[in-house]
């Protein structure tokens, strides 16, 4: 897979489920041993070879790490590890995630801090990884586990439901990692947009390098599943993509992530191409329309804002099936636990999507799109379904209308001249 990632033009990989966990269908989030490479995939030496191969290709290696909760298993996990119920976790209801059946760490305990901080240090020292994405921070930062309404009001982040011990742990984690390894990259996955998430710790922030904007992929999925494409709101698209301008330069974007592709969800390609049957009279038109919309969704997400762009494996060529791991609900079948690489062998829609994705990466390589400042969005029209903005020297114009074509359409630019 690594040569494919390199060929696709990406410069980093983020690995999920590498740390030993309970079962496949939780995608590695119910961790049973934070200090073990999952034996499902091979040996510790095999993982070291994988990291070395990636580094040899110029790829950074990030790990998805779940320090926000732990598996509740008593036979293989930390629960009842010493015979008591509160060795590493809170007692009573506070020690159990309200919805997910996992145990909640007691971040104010010095032994828990030693355990978790040494774990972060160990993966970097032992396996030479380049960074972490901290999974589901909202689960640990609030006693309600993030299951509350958030409007952005400061009071929502400064009340009795905020776990100050968890915030201190995250500050310590970022300070330690960046002090010991100045080139380390830390990414926060927080659905609540906690203020100061990526601000320096000496200025009162938590110290992360990037944060993931989860609302973008949710917006695209909501549109695809619920709204005819001739009724999409251009203002909603732009407002969601640009996000909070105060933290836009720390934003990691993706059009489609693992949540849309794993266990019961649908990939965007599955939604867009699902009605296009090979024997259908208008299947070619449906495929063309779906392919065009797929490309536009990715390009505007990639180019309008943020400092980094993430893609879930297979979506770069419009994978037509979701990922589903063996579990009781599918009779422990492996039929969907794969990526259909053979789709790239034939010239066709998937090869076209892959070529387009590679061109996006080449555009960034040539023009440093992601390194540019914030875009100047100067035209958003819900009636014509046209969006136009400038980022750096580049002018982007999107026509999302499924039928209307415009001639002599006027948009503004900052500088006179010819644009392509």
């Amino acid at each position: 897979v690594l040569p494919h990632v390199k060929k696709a033009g990406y410069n980093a990989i983020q690995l999920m489920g590498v740390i030993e966990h309970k079962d496949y269908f939780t995608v590695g989030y119910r961790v049973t041993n934070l200090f073990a490479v999952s034996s499902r995939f091979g040996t510790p030496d095999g993982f070291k070879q994988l990291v070395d191969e990636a580094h040899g290709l110029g790829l950074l290696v990030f790990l998805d790490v779940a320090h926000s909760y732990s598996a509740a298993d008593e036979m293989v996990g930390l629960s009842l590890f010493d015979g008591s119920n509160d060795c590493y976790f809170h007692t009573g209801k506070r020690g159990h995630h309200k919805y997910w059946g996992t145990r909640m760490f007691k971040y104010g305990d010095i032994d828990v801090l030693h355990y978790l901080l040494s774990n972060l240090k160990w993966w970097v020292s032992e396996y030479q990884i380049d960074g972490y994405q901290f999974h589901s921070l909202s689960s640990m930062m609030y006693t309600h586990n993030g299951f509350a309404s958030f409007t952005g009001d400061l009071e929502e982040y400064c009340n009795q439901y905020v776990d100050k011990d968890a915030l201190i742990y995250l500050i310590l984690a970022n300070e330690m990692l960046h002090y010991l390894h100045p080139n380390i990259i830390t990414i926060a996955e927080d659905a609540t947009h906690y203020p100061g998430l990526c601000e320096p710790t000496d200025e009162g922030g938590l110290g992360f390098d990037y944060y993931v904007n989860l609302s973008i992929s949710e917006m695209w999925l909501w549109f695809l599943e619920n709204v005819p494409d001739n009724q999409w709101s251009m203002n909603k698209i732009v407002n969601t993509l640009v996000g909070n301008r105060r933290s836009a330069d720390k934003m990691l974007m993706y059009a489609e992530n693992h949540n849309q592709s794993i266990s019961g969800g649908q990939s965007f390609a599955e939604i867009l191409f699902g009605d296009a049957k090979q024997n259908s009279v208008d299947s070619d038109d449906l495929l063309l329309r779906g392919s065009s919309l797929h490309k536009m969704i990715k390009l505007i997400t990639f180019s309008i804002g943020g400092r980094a762009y993430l893609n879930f494996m297979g979506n770069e060529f419009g994978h037509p099936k979701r990922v589903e791991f063996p579990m009781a609900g599918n009779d422990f079948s492996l039929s969907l636990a794969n990526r259909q690489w053979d789709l790239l062998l034939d010239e066709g829609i998937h090869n076209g999507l892959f070529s387009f994705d590679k061109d996006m990466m080449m555009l960034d390589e040539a023009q440093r799109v992601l390194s540019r400042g914030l875009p100047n969005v100067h035209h958003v029209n819900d009636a014509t379904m046209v969006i136009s903005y400038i980022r750096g020297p580049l002018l982007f114009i999107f026509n999302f209308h499924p039928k209307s074509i415009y001639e002599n359409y006027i948009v503004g630019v900052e500088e006179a001249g010819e644009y392509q």
Side-chain angles (χ1 to χ4, degrees), residues 209-221:
D209 297 300
Y210 297 95
Y211 76 96
V212 177
N213 191 335
L214 296 167
S215 58
I216 292 173
S217 53
E218 293 169 359
M219 174 199 69
W220 289 126
L221 183 66

Side-chain angles (χ1 to χ4, degrees), residues 24-239:
Y24 271 117
F25 72 90
T26 57
V27 204
Y29 292 148
R30 291 183 184 174
V31 173
T32 53
N33 189 337
L34 281 169
F35 286 84
V37 173
S38 177
S39 58
R40 294 174 177 87
F41 310 124
T43 65
D45 284 341
F47 183 57
K48 289 180 179 180
Q49 183 181 352
L50 172 67
V51 175
D52 285 346
E53 292 285 345
H55 286 163
L57 291 171
L59 302 173
L60 300 177
V61 180
F62 302 148
L63 276 192
D64 214 54
V65 64
H67 280 188
S68 45
Y69 46 77
S70 180
D73 296 63
E74 298 170 3
M75 295 299 292
V76 292
L78 287 174
S79 199
L80 288 183
F81 186 70
D82 66 342
S84 68
N85 204 25
D86 58 353
C87 179
Y88 285 88
F89 311 113
H90 288 285
T91 55
K93 289 184 179 179
R94 182 78 179 82
H96 297 266
H97 194 288
K98 192 174 181 180
Y99 297 102
W100 296 343
T102 49
R103 300 302 311 274
M104 304 306 297
F105 285 112
K106 186 167 50 178
Y107 297 102
D109 189 298
I110 191 69
D111 292 322
V112 173
L113 290 178
H114 285 168
Y115 175 70
L116 295 176
L117 291 171
S118 65
N119 181 245
L120 295 174
K121 182 175 181 292
W122 184 79
W123 283 97
V124 181
S125 302
E126 183 71 15
Y127 292 103
Q128 304 297 305
I129 66 160
D130 303 288
Y132 294 101
Q133 174 164 307
F134 284 70
H135 169 71
S136 190
L137 292 186
S138 52
S139 292
M140 63 186 285
M141 293 196 301
Y142 310 95
T143 56
H144 53 56
N145 303 132
F147 287 85
S149 59
F150 281 85
T151 62
D153 191 292
L154 195 60
E155 171 59 27
E156 295 162 350
Y157 308 103
C158 305
N159 55 37
Q160 71 272 27
Y161 302 110
V162 176
D163 187 337
K164 296 182 177 63
D165 290 332
L167 297 184
I168 290 171
Y169 162 67
L170 293 174
I171 291 170
L172 286 172
N174 276 304
E175 287 223 337
M176 180 197 75
L177 285 170
H178 288 98
Y179 175 79
L180 295 174
H181 308 282
N183 293 323
I184 202 84
I185 293 174
T186 59
I187 304 166
E189 183 193 84
D190 169 35
T192 71
H193 299 291
Y194 185 86
L197 204 62
C198 296
E199 297 301 321
T201 56
D202 58 5
E203 295 179 12
L206 299 188
F208 286 96
D209 297 300
Y210 297 95
Y211 76 96
V212 177
N213 191 335
L214 296 167
S215 58
I216 292 173
S217 53
E218 293 169 359
M219 174 199 69
W220 289 126
L221 183 66
W222 183 80
F223 272 134
L224 288 168
E225 290 186 334
N226 299 289
V227 184
D229 56 359
N230 63 345
Q231 297 176 23
W232 287 14
S233 166
M234 301 297 103
N235 277 287
K236 181 177 177 63
I237 289 173
V238 170
N239 289 337

Side-chain angles (χ1 to χ4, degrees), residues 23-27 30 261-265 322-337:
D23 39 37
Y24 271 117
F25 72 90
T26 57
V27 204
R30 291 183 184 174
S261 296
I262 288 179
S263 297
R322 65 185 182 276
V323 178
E324 191 169 271
F325 297 108
M327 54 186 174
N330 59 18
D331 294 326
F332 298 98
S333 169
L334 288 161
S335 61
L336 290 176

